[in-house]
Amino acid sequence: MVDWLKKAVFYEIYPQTFCDSNDDGIGDIEGIISKLDYIKDLGANALWINPCYDSPFKDAGYDVRDYKKVASRYGTNEDLERLFETAHEKGIKVLLDLVPGHTSEEHSWFVQSSKAEQNEYSGRYIWTNSWYEGIEGRPYIGGECERDGTYMLNFFKCQPALNYGFLKPEKTWQKGIDDPDCLKTREAIKDIICFWLSKGCDGFRVDMADSLVKNDDDNKSGTCAVWRDILGYVRTDYPEAAFVAEWNNTDQALVNAGFDMDFFLNWTGNGYNSLLRDYETPGDDCSYFKADKGGDITRFLDEYLPRWEKAKGKGSISLLSCNHDTPRPRKNLTIPELKVAYATLFTLPGVPFIYYGDEIGMRYLDLPTKEGGYTRTGSRTPMQWDSGINMGFSKAAKEMLYLPTDDAEDAPTVEAAMADEDSIYHVVKDLFALRKTQEDFDADSDFSVIIGEKDKPFVYTRKDAICAVNPVNSEKSVKVKELAGKNLIYVIGSVTVDGDSLKMGKGSFAILK
Ligand code: NOJ
């Protein structure tokens, strides 16, 4: 893991809806630049910006038409370079989003690849030998191009899979991972990474990082080998560049592929899901942080602890408040519940990520789909800055907005949250400040669980600090011998310590040192 990540706190920006500087109803790079001081003041020192490249936007920009060109609706390449520079002046790093597994069907590589005559790009995507030969077990498309073949998809219909080869090719059209065509795909991705790093970007969040090699084995050994090559190459010239994988597998992403960070993603029923979003059964929300039904940390720890052991010394398992694919945590958690949740997420090991607007408790809105968002759309609404026109996001006419703002009477805003000392914004800010000043909360500082049982406070150490969490509606008392000589340095709710006795009021959190 590169060194600067130890103290990094990431803020994810969905560029469409963060800040609109030219009042056309959609966010832009200039808008992001204008809010860097806000982000710095909150205490985040790194950004992850969702794809901002030229695209037909059938999947919100994850369908890239030109990797080296900023989408005109966001500005120009020069604007993005100015964002890097201005952010750096303020001590903020910037990660872009790399989409290596597929392009848009409108990318010039694909347009060339779909032509009947052989050309440089014929092998850039995965094509069968004939219009009537399908691809078993994988989504594919036929009948759309003059080329006699069908092609594999990586996600939506608009996203043909780039060709990194098959671990064990079985058909004549399946290439091995070291086939010249597959090596050229790799070279093309290295070139894109280096292009943006040379302009001042600090690294990438990597979309579907585990998806490159097809028919890979259970360990994803083919995909890991490709990443070792790509990252090894890039790091020779850019040793400080940081890479976070959308992978959700510590062994594969951090140990074998060589990423600096891997997300613990929200997959139904998994350990991370059990913390904030365990509401698959309607009316029965058993999320750990839900005050009336929560309190079982074992579902999280059973998965997290083995991962943490493997990640030690290798990189970060990054915990997120949310992302652009996930319902905002405010969907089911109240503000007091969220405070305890954030305090826990942001004091556990690893490099944390907060999604824009989560710091003020923005809601998940029930909205029709936009740019391939479907149920994700409700987490992508405009940032709520103040009580002005369109909540300070844009001065465009309401019907021009990319998505509507939250029109609830009590919709949170940055302005109101900053003015209210008791707001969730101040909890986030205090926690980020603690991470800045106390080495205990560096991404790689020691971590051990003192109490990790159902219906008891969750108590853990970070280096010399002890954290204690009680998310439920009732008071909990425990004896913790490690508390001797420690004092409370941060508290949410009511917590009292007497020698080795710890009394945690309902919905409380404490740090002792
Ligand atoms: C994961 C991204 O986070 C998501 O938004 C996108 O739709 C898919 N990958 C496809 O690129």
Side-chain angles (χ1 to χ4, degrees), residues 163-190:
N163 189 10
Y164 295 86
F166 286 70
L167 189 66
K168 289 190 186 132
E170 284 165 2
K171 312 260 186 199
T172 54
W173 51 267
Q174 299 180 348
K175 310 286 186 197
I177 64 174
D178 291 324
D179 178 271
D181 278 330
C182 304
L183 293 179
K184 277 190 205 145
T185 310
R186 266 193 233 178
E187 296 312 307
I189 290 298
K190 289 177 188 167

PDB file of all heavy atoms in Angstrom, residues 163-190:
ATOM      1  N   ASN A 163     -10.931  -7.731 -24.677  1.00  0.00           N
ATOM      2  CA  ASN A 163     -10.335  -9.067 -24.749  1.00  0.00           C
ATOM      3  C   ASN A 163      -8.996  -9.151 -24.020  1.00  0.00           C
ATOM      4  O   ASN A 163      -7.975  -8.667 -24.510  1.00  0.00           O
ATOM      5  CB  ASN A 163     -10.155  -9.448 -26.223  1.00  0.00           C
ATOM      6  CG  ASN A 163      -9.740 -10.895 -26.396  1.00  0.00           C
ATOM      7  OD1 ASN A 163      -9.755 -11.681 -25.441  1.00  0.00           O
ATOM      8  ND2 ASN A 163      -9.378 -11.261 -27.611  1.00  0.00           N
ATOM      9  N   TYR A 164      -9.041  -9.749 -22.808  1.00  0.00           N
ATOM     10  CA  TYR A 164      -7.807 -10.050 -22.060  1.00  0.00           C
ATOM     11  C   TYR A 164      -7.528 -11.547 -22.112  1.00  0.00           C
ATOM     12  O   TYR A 164      -6.658 -12.041 -21.415  1.00  0.00           O
ATOM     13  CB  TYR A 164      -7.942  -9.613 -20.602  1.00  0.00           C
ATOM     14  CG  TYR A 164      -8.070  -8.109 -20.430  1.00  0.00           C
ATOM     15  CD1 TYR A 164      -9.311  -7.494 -20.512  1.00  0.00           C
ATOM     16  CD2 TYR A 164      -6.954  -7.317 -20.187  1.00  0.00           C
ATOM     17  CE1 TYR A 164      -9.442  -6.121 -20.363  1.00  0.00           C
ATOM     18  CE2 TYR A 164      -7.078  -5.937 -20.028  1.00  0.00           C
ATOM     19  CZ  TYR A 164      -8.319  -5.355 -20.116  1.00  0.00           C
ATOM     20  OH  TYR A 164      -8.436  -3.997 -19.960  1.00  0.00           O
ATOM     21  N   GLY A 165      -8.329 -12.268 -22.891  1.00  0.00           N
ATOM     22  CA  GLY A 165      -8.099 -13.691 -23.079  1.00  0.00           C
ATOM     23  C   GLY A 165      -8.846 -14.583 -22.104  1.00  0.00           C
ATOM     24  O   GLY A 165      -9.564 -14.111 -21.211  1.00  0.00           O
ATOM     25  N   PHE A 166      -8.675 -15.883 -22.318  1.00  0.00           N
ATOM     26  CA  PHE A 166      -9.301 -16.930 -21.503  1.00  0.00           C
ATOM     27  C   PHE A 166      -8.187 -17.660 -20.755  1.00  0.00           C
ATOM     28  O   PHE A 166      -7.106 -17.859 -21.313  1.00  0.00           O
ATOM     29  CB  PHE A 166     -10.052 -17.922 -22.403  1.00  0.00           C
ATOM     30  CG  PHE A 166     -11.340 -17.355 -22.943  1.00  0.00           C
ATOM     31  CD1 PHE A 166     -11.325 -16.328 -23.894  1.00  0.00           C
ATOM     32  CD2 PHE A 166     -12.570 -17.841 -22.499  1.00  0.00           C
ATOM     33  CE1 PHE A 166     -12.509 -15.789 -24.385  1.00  0.00           C
ATOM     34  CE2 PHE A 166     -13.753 -17.309 -22.984  1.00  0.00           C
ATOM     35  CZ  PHE A 166     -13.727 -16.284 -23.935  1.00  0.00           C
ATOM     36  N   LEU A 167      -8.474 -18.073 -19.524  1.00  0.00           N
ATOM     37  CA  LEU A 167      -7.426 -18.767 -18.772  1.00  0.00           C
ATOM     38  C   LEU A 167      -7.026 -20.039 -19.514  1.00  0.00           C
ATOM     39  O   LEU A 167      -5.844 -20.305 -19.702  1.00  0.00           O
ATOM     40  CB  LEU A 167      -7.890 -19.094 -17.353  1.00  0.00           C
ATOM     41  CG  LEU A 167      -6.767 -19.621 -16.472  1.00  0.00           C
ATOM     42  CD1 LEU A 167      -5.716 -18.553 -16.215  1.00  0.00           C
ATOM     43  CD2 LEU A 167      -7.317 -20.149 -15.155  1.00  0.00           C
ATOM     44  N   LYS A 168      -8.048 -20.814 -19.918  1.00  0.00           N
ATOM     45  CA  LYS A 168      -7.753 -22.030 -20.698  1.00  0.00           C
ATOM     46  C   LYS A 168      -8.631 -22.014 -21.934  1.00  0.00           C
ATOM     47  O   LYS A 168      -9.770 -22.483 -21.879  1.00  0.00           O
ATOM     48  CB  LYS A 168      -8.079 -23.264 -19.856  1.00  0.00           C
ATOM     49  CG  LYS A 168      -7.121 -23.469 -18.721  1.00  0.00           C
ATOM     50  CD  LYS A 168      -7.315 -24.820 -18.062  1.00  0.00           C
ATOM     51  CE  LYS A 168      -6.425 -24.905 -16.841  1.00  0.00           C
ATOM     52  NZ  LYS A 168      -7.107 -25.389 -15.652  1.00  0.00           N
ATOM     53  N   PRO A 169      -8.114 -21.495 -23.043  1.00  0.00           N
ATOM     54  CA  PRO A 169      -8.948 -21.399 -24.242  1.00  0.00           C
ATOM     55  C   PRO A 169      -9.418 -22.781 -24.695  1.00  0.00           C
ATOM     56  O   PRO A 169      -8.650 -23.743 -24.650  1.00  0.00           O
ATOM     57  CB  PRO A 169      -8.002 -20.790 -25.284  1.00  0.00           C
ATOM     58  CG  PRO A 169      -6.848 -20.260 -24.518  1.00  0.00           C
ATOM     59  CD  PRO A 169      -6.751 -21.007 -23.249  1.00  0.00           C
ATOM     60  N   GLU A 170     -10.689 -22.856 -25.055  1.00  0.00           N
ATOM     61  CA  GLU A 170     -11.241 -24.135 -25.512  1.00  0.00           C
ATOM     62  C   GLU A 170     -11.748 -24.075 -26.942  1.00  0.00           C
ATOM     63  O   GLU A 170     -11.831 -25.097 -27.607  1.00  0.00           O
ATOM     64  CB  GLU A 170     -12.373 -24.571 -24.575  1.00  0.00           C
ATOM     65  CG  GLU A 170     -11.831 -25.113 -23.253  1.00  0.00           C
ATOM     66  CD  GLU A 170     -12.882 -25.227 -22.177  1.00  0.00           C
ATOM     67  OE1 GLU A 170     -14.058 -24.925 -22.462  1.00  0.00           O
ATOM     68  OE2 GLU A 170     -12.503 -25.599 -21.055  1.00  0.00           O
ATOM     69  N   LYS A 171     -12.096 -22.915 -27.417  1.00  0.00           N
ATOM     70  CA  LYS A 171     -12.590 -22.755 -28.791  1.00  0.00           C
ATOM     71  C   LYS A 171     -11.531 -22.005 -29.593  1.00  0.00           C
ATOM     72  O   LYS A 171     -10.709 -21.273 -29.007  1.00  0.00           O
ATOM     73  CB  LYS A 171     -13.870 -21.911 -28.795  1.00  0.00           C
ATOM     74  CG  LYS A 171     -14.899 -22.337 -27.785  1.00  0.00           C
ATOM     75  CD  LYS A 171     -15.960 -23.157 -28.438  1.00  0.00           C
ATOM     76  CE  LYS A 171     -17.055 -23.438 -27.430  1.00  0.00           C
ATOM     77  NZ  LYS A 171     -17.908 -24.538 -27.780  1.00  0.00           N
ATOM     78  N   THR A 172     -11.631 -22.111 -30.900  1.00  0.00           N
ATOM     79  CA  THR A 172     -10.603 -21.452 -31.724  1.00  0.00           C
ATOM     80  C   THR A 172     -10.624 -19.940 -31.552  1.00  0.00           C
ATOM     81  O   THR A 172      -9.606 -19.270 -31.701  1.00  0.00           O
ATOM     82  CB  THR A 172     -10.793 -21.793 -33.219  1.00  0.00           C
ATOM     83  OG1 THR A 172     -12.147 -21.463 -33.571  1.00  0.00           O
ATOM     84  CG2 THR A 172     -10.520 -23.254 -33.499  1.00  0.00           C
ATOM     85  N   TRP A 173     -11.797 -19.363 -31.239  1.00  0.00           N
ATOM     86  CA  TRP A 173     -11.870 -17.898 -31.100  1.00  0.00           C
ATOM     87  C   TRP A 173     -11.460 -17.422 -29.712  1.00  0.00           C
ATOM     88  O   TRP A 173     -11.356 -16.216 -29.474  1.00  0.00           O
ATOM     89  CB  TRP A 173     -13.277 -17.398 -31.442  1.00  0.00           C
ATOM     90  CG  TRP A 173     -14.397 -18.124 -30.728  1.00  0.00           C
ATOM     91  CD1 TRP A 173     -15.084 -19.193 -31.190  1.00  0.00           C
ATOM     92  CD2 TRP A 173     -14.942 -17.822 -29.436  1.00  0.00           C
ATOM     93  NE1 TRP A 173     -16.038 -19.594 -30.273  1.00  0.00           N
ATOM     94  CE2 TRP A 173     -15.976 -18.756 -29.191  1.00  0.00           C
ATOM     95  CE3 TRP A 173     -14.664 -16.850 -28.467  1.00  0.00           C
ATOM     96  CZ2 TRP A 173     -16.733 -18.763 -28.008  1.00  0.00           C
ATOM     97  CZ3 TRP A 173     -15.417 -16.853 -27.291  1.00  0.00           C
ATOM     98  CH2 TRP A 173     -16.432 -17.808 -27.084  1.00  0.00           C
ATOM     99  N   GLN A 174     -11.230 -18.345 -28.789  1.00  0.00           N
ATOM    100  CA  GLN A 174     -10.800 -17.939 -27.440  1.00  0.00           C
ATOM    101  C   GLN A 174      -9.279 -17.857 -27.408  1.00  0.00           C
ATOM    102  O   GLN A 174      -8.599 -18.824 -27.748  1.00  0.00           O
ATOM    103  CB  GLN A 174     -11.307 -18.950 -26.411  1.00  0.00           C
ATOM    104  CG  GLN A 174     -12.815 -19.042 -26.382  1.00  0.00           C
ATOM    105  CD  GLN A 174     -13.345 -20.036 -25.358  1.00  0.00           C
ATOM    106  OE1 GLN A 174     -12.597 -20.839 -24.797  1.00  0.00           O
ATOM    107  NE2 GLN A 174     -14.653 -19.985 -25.119  1.00  0.00           N
ATOM    108  N   LYS A 175      -8.765 -16.709 -26.998  1.00  0.00           N
ATOM    109  CA  LYS A 175      -7.310 -16.515 -26.981  1.00  0.00           C
ATOM    110  C   LYS A 175      -6.768 -16.750 -25.572  1.00  0.00           C
ATOM    111  O   LYS A 175      -7.461 -16.515 -24.577  1.00  0.00           O
ATOM    112  CB  LYS A 175      -6.954 -15.066 -27.368  1.00  0.00           C
ATOM    113  CG  LYS A 175      -7.635 -14.581 -28.634  1.00  0.00           C
ATOM    114  CD  LYS A 175      -7.018 -15.191 -29.858  1.00  0.00           C
ATOM    115  CE  LYS A 175      -7.609 -14.595 -31.114  1.00  0.00           C
ATOM    116  NZ  LYS A 175      -7.357 -15.393 -32.295  1.00  0.00           N
ATOM    117  N   GLY A 176      -5.511 -17.149 -25.489  1.00  0.00           N
ATOM    118  CA  GLY A 176      -4.843 -17.246 -24.186  1.00  0.00           C
ATOM    119  C   GLY A 176      -4.479 -15.859 -23.698  1.00  0.00           C
ATOM    120  O   GLY A 176      -4.468 -14.900 -24.489  1.00  0.00           O
ATOM    121  N   ILE A 177      -4.164 -15.724 -22.412  1.00  0.00           N
ATOM    122  CA  ILE A 177      -3.961 -14.367 -21.884  1.00  0.00           C
ATOM    123  C   ILE A 177      -2.694 -13.697 -22.443  1.00  0.00           C
ATOM    124  O   ILE A 177      -2.564 -12.483 -22.399  1.00  0.00           O
ATOM    125  CB  ILE A 177      -3.976 -14.300 -20.333  1.00  0.00           C
ATOM    126  CG1 ILE A 177      -2.826 -15.069 -19.721  1.00  0.00           C
ATOM    127  CG2 ILE A 177      -5.291 -14.802 -19.786  1.00  0.00           C
ATOM    128  CD1 ILE A 177      -2.756 -14.876 -18.203  1.00  0.00           C
ATOM    129  N   ASP A 178      -1.770 -14.509 -22.992  1.00  0.00           N
ATOM    130  CA  ASP A 178      -0.563 -13.918 -23.567  1.00  0.00           C
ATOM    131  C   ASP A 178      -0.605 -13.827 -25.091  1.00  0.00           C
ATOM    132  O   ASP A 178       0.417 -13.563 -25.731  1.00  0.00           O
ATOM    133  CB  ASP A 178       0.678 -14.704 -23.110  1.00  0.00           C
ATOM    134  CG  ASP A 178       0.909 -14.493 -21.624  1.00  0.00           C
ATOM    135  OD1 ASP A 178       0.656 -13.376 -21.148  1.00  0.00           O
ATOM    136  OD2 ASP A 178       1.304 -15.454 -20.945  1.00  0.00           O
ATOM    137  N   ASP A 179      -1.778 -14.052 -25.650  1.00  0.00           N
ATOM    138  CA  ASP A 179      -1.942 -13.884 -27.099  1.00  0.00           C
ATOM    139  C   ASP A 179      -1.644 -12.404 -27.455  1.00  0.00           C
ATOM    140  O   ASP A 179      -1.979 -11.505 -26.686  1.00  0.00           O
ATOM    141  CB  ASP A 179      -3.405 -14.219 -27.449  1.00  0.00           C
ATOM    142  CG  ASP A 179      -3.691 -14.032 -28.925  1.00  0.00           C
ATOM    143  OD1 ASP A 179      -4.071 -12.893 -29.315  1.00  0.00           O
ATOM    144  OD2 ASP A 179      -3.523 -15.006 -29.671  1.00  0.00           O
ATOM    145  N   PRO A 180      -1.032 -12.157 -28.612  1.00  0.00           N
ATOM    146  CA  PRO A 180      -0.683 -10.763 -28.962  1.00  0.00           C
ATOM    147  C   PRO A 180      -1.873  -9.793 -28.885  1.00  0.00           C
ATOM    148  O   PRO A 180      -1.712  -8.650 -28.431  1.00  0.00           O
ATOM    149  CB  PRO A 180      -0.166 -10.877 -30.400  1.00  0.00           C
ATOM    150  CG  PRO A 180       0.302 -12.292 -30.530  1.00  0.00           C
ATOM    151  CD  PRO A 180      -0.529 -13.123 -29.602  1.00  0.00           C
ATOM    152  N   ASP A 181      -3.069 -10.245 -29.301  1.00  0.00           N
ATOM    153  CA  ASP A 181      -4.226  -9.334 -29.231  1.00  0.00           C
ATOM    154  C   ASP A 181      -4.540  -8.957 -27.778  1.00  0.00           C
ATOM    155  O   ASP A 181      -4.866  -7.803 -27.472  1.00  0.00           O
ATOM    156  CB  ASP A 181      -5.469 -10.008 -29.849  1.00  0.00           C
ATOM    157  CG  ASP A 181      -5.471  -9.874 -31.362  1.00  0.00           C
ATOM    158  OD1 ASP A 181      -4.919  -8.873 -31.872  1.00  0.00           O
ATOM    159  OD2 ASP A 181      -6.010 -10.782 -32.027  1.00  0.00           O
ATOM    160  N   CYS A 182      -4.459  -9.955 -26.885  1.00  0.00           N
ATOM    161  CA  CYS A 182      -4.777  -9.694 -25.468  1.00  0.00           C
ATOM    162  C   CYS A 182      -3.694  -8.807 -24.840  1.00  0.00           C
ATOM    163  O   CYS A 182      -3.989  -7.943 -24.018  1.00  0.00           O
ATOM    164  CB  CYS A 182      -4.911 -11.008 -24.708  1.00  0.00           C
ATOM    165  SG  CYS A 182      -6.126 -12.084 -25.464  1.00  0.00           S
ATOM    166  N   LEU A 183      -2.458  -9.029 -25.260  1.00  0.00           N
ATOM    167  CA  LEU A 183      -1.380  -8.174 -24.741  1.00  0.00           C
ATOM    168  C   LEU A 183      -1.579  -6.731 -25.208  1.00  0.00           C
ATOM    169  O   LEU A 183      -1.320  -5.792 -24.457  1.00  0.00           O
ATOM    170  CB  LEU A 183      -0.011  -8.691 -25.195  1.00  0.00           C
ATOM    171  CG  LEU A 183       0.381 -10.047 -24.588  1.00  0.00           C
ATOM    172  CD1 LEU A 183       1.750 -10.486 -25.127  1.00  0.00           C
ATOM    173  CD2 LEU A 183       0.431  -9.979 -23.054  1.00  0.00           C
ATOM    174  N   LYS A 184      -2.116  -6.582 -26.424  1.00  0.00           N
ATOM    175  CA  LYS A 184      -2.366  -5.216 -26.917  1.00  0.00           C
ATOM    176  C   LYS A 184      -3.461  -4.536 -26.104  1.00  0.00           C
ATOM    177  O   LYS A 184      -3.411  -3.326 -25.876  1.00  0.00           O
ATOM    178  CB  LYS A 184      -2.763  -5.248 -28.401  1.00  0.00           C
ATOM    179  CG  LYS A 184      -1.571  -5.318 -29.321  1.00  0.00           C
ATOM    180  CD  LYS A 184      -2.006  -5.093 -30.760  1.00  0.00           C
ATOM    181  CE  LYS A 184      -1.008  -5.756 -31.704  1.00  0.00           C
ATOM    182  NZ  LYS A 184      -1.617  -6.312 -32.903  1.00  0.00           N
ATOM    183  N   THR A 185      -4.470  -5.299 -25.680  1.00  0.00           N
ATOM    184  CA  THR A 185      -5.511  -4.707 -24.820  1.00  0.00           C
ATOM    185  C   THR A 185      -4.863  -4.198 -23.532  1.00  0.00           C
ATOM    186  O   THR A 185      -5.113  -3.081 -23.082  1.00  0.00           O
ATOM    187  CB  THR A 185      -6.611  -5.741 -24.483  1.00  0.00           C
ATOM    188  OG1 THR A 185      -7.053  -6.362 -25.676  1.00  0.00           O
ATOM    189  CG2 THR A 185      -7.774  -5.099 -23.759  1.00  0.00           C
ATOM    190  N   ARG A 186      -4.033  -5.048 -22.944  1.00  0.00           N
ATOM    191  CA  ARG A 186      -3.327  -4.634 -21.713  1.00  0.00           C
ATOM    192  C   ARG A 186      -2.521  -3.369 -21.921  1.00  0.00           C
ATOM    193  O   ARG A 186      -2.522  -2.462 -21.096  1.00  0.00           O
ATOM    194  CB  ARG A 186      -2.321  -5.723 -21.327  1.00  0.00           C
ATOM    195  CG  ARG A 186      -2.832  -6.713 -20.356  1.00  0.00           C
ATOM    196  CD  ARG A 186      -1.635  -7.481 -19.849  1.00  0.00           C
ATOM    197  NE  ARG A 186      -1.852  -8.913 -20.005  1.00  0.00           N
ATOM    198  CZ  ARG A 186      -0.951  -9.828 -19.673  1.00  0.00           C
ATOM    199  NH1 ARG A 186       0.225  -9.469 -19.193  1.00  0.00           N
ATOM    200  NH2 ARG A 186      -1.227 -11.098 -19.806  1.00  0.00           N
ATOM    201  N   GLU A 187      -1.794  -3.335 -23.062  1.00  0.00           N
ATOM    202  CA  GLU A 187      -0.953  -2.154 -23.342  1.00  0.00           C
ATOM    203  C   GLU A 187      -1.826  -0.908 -23.456  1.00  0.00           C
ATOM    204  O   GLU A 187      -1.457   0.170 -23.002  1.00  0.00           O
ATOM    205  CB  GLU A 187      -0.139  -2.338 -24.638  1.00  0.00           C
ATOM    206  CG  GLU A 187       0.874  -3.482 -24.594  1.00  0.00           C
ATOM    207  CD  GLU A 187       1.742  -3.469 -23.347  1.00  0.00           C
ATOM    208  OE1 GLU A 187       2.349  -2.433 -23.058  1.00  0.00           O
ATOM    209  OE2 GLU A 187       1.795  -4.513 -22.643  1.00  0.00           O
ATOM    210  N   ALA A 188      -2.986  -1.082 -24.079  1.00  0.00           N
ATOM    211  CA  ALA A 188      -3.888   0.069 -24.259  1.00  0.00           C
ATOM    212  C   ALA A 188      -4.351   0.594 -22.897  1.00  0.00           C
ATOM    213  O   ALA A 188      -4.465   1.813 -22.689  1.00  0.00           O
ATOM    214  CB  ALA A 188      -5.081  -0.335 -25.115  1.00  0.00           C
ATOM    215  N   ILE A 189      -4.617  -0.320 -21.967  1.00  0.00           N
ATOM    216  CA  ILE A 189      -5.072   0.119 -20.639  1.00  0.00           C
ATOM    217  C   ILE A 189      -3.912   0.778 -19.875  1.00  0.00           C
ATOM    218  O   ILE A 189      -4.089   1.809 -19.214  1.00  0.00           O
ATOM    219  CB  ILE A 189      -5.697  -1.068 -19.865  1.00  0.00           C
ATOM    220  CG1 ILE A 189      -7.032  -1.464 -20.506  1.00  0.00           C
ATOM    221  CG2 ILE A 189      -5.888  -0.754 -18.378  1.00  0.00           C
ATOM    222  CD1 ILE A 189      -8.125  -0.382 -20.506  1.00  0.00           C
ATOM    223  N   LYS A 190      -2.723   0.207 -20.003  1.00  0.00           N
ATOM    224  CA  LYS A 190      -1.551   0.846 -19.361  1.00  0.00           C
ATOM    225  C   LYS A 190      -1.377   2.275 -19.880  1.00  0.00           C
ATOM    226  O   LYS A 190      -1.094   3.203 -19.120  1.00  0.00           O
ATOM    227  CB  LYS A 190      -0.267   0.061 -19.681  1.00  0.00           C
ATOM    228  CG  LYS A 190      -0.156  -1.281 -18.996  1.00  0.00           C
ATOM    229  CD  LYS A 190       1.123  -1.975 -19.475  1.00  0.00           C
ATOM    230  CE  LYS A 190       1.205  -3.398 -18.985  1.00  0.00           C
ATOM    231  NZ  LYS A 190       2.247  -4.197 -19.668  1.00  0.00           N
TER     232      LYS A 190
END
